[in-house]
Amino acid sequence: MFSIFKSDPKKKLNKLLSIKLEEAMQAQRKGDIKKYSELSAEAEKIDKQILQIEAQSTQA
């Protein structure tokens, strides 16, 4: 009934993914490869979560 008030987890994760990728790019530009790899790994985990949500929504 009130589904318009529910937040979209996919939208939230996409925004978080965008932020992580931006931070990773900035770290790479500064030459901080360790930080870049950490942020890239976090971004990859978020991307996997997004793919899982998409897979669940297509099955339903």
Side-chain angles (χ1 to χ4, degrees):
M1 181 172 162
F2 292 102
S3 63
I4 60 171
F5 298 116
K6 292 182 182 178
S7 63
D8 184 15
K10 184 178 163 189
K11 184 176 179 181
K12 184 178 177 183
L13 287 173
N14 278 327
K15 186 173 183 178
L16 185 60
L17 176 64
S18 176
I19 291 169
K20 289 293 179 185
L21 290 174
E22 179 72 27
E23 290 174 354
M25 180 188 66
Q26 293 300 326
Q28 185 181 30
R29 285 184 177 176
K30 291 179 183 177
D32 192 354
I33 302 304
K34 183 176 179 182
K35 182 79 170 175
Y36 167 73
S37 64
E38 291 171 358
L39 290 168
S40 294
E42 289 178 24
E44 190 174 322
K45 288 179 185 177
I46 294 169
D47 190 41
K48 287 181 182 179
Q49 290 176 349
I50 292 170
L51 292 174
Q52 287 177 349
I53 291 172
E54 289 176 350
Q56 289 174 356
S57 66
T58 58
Q59 289 177 357

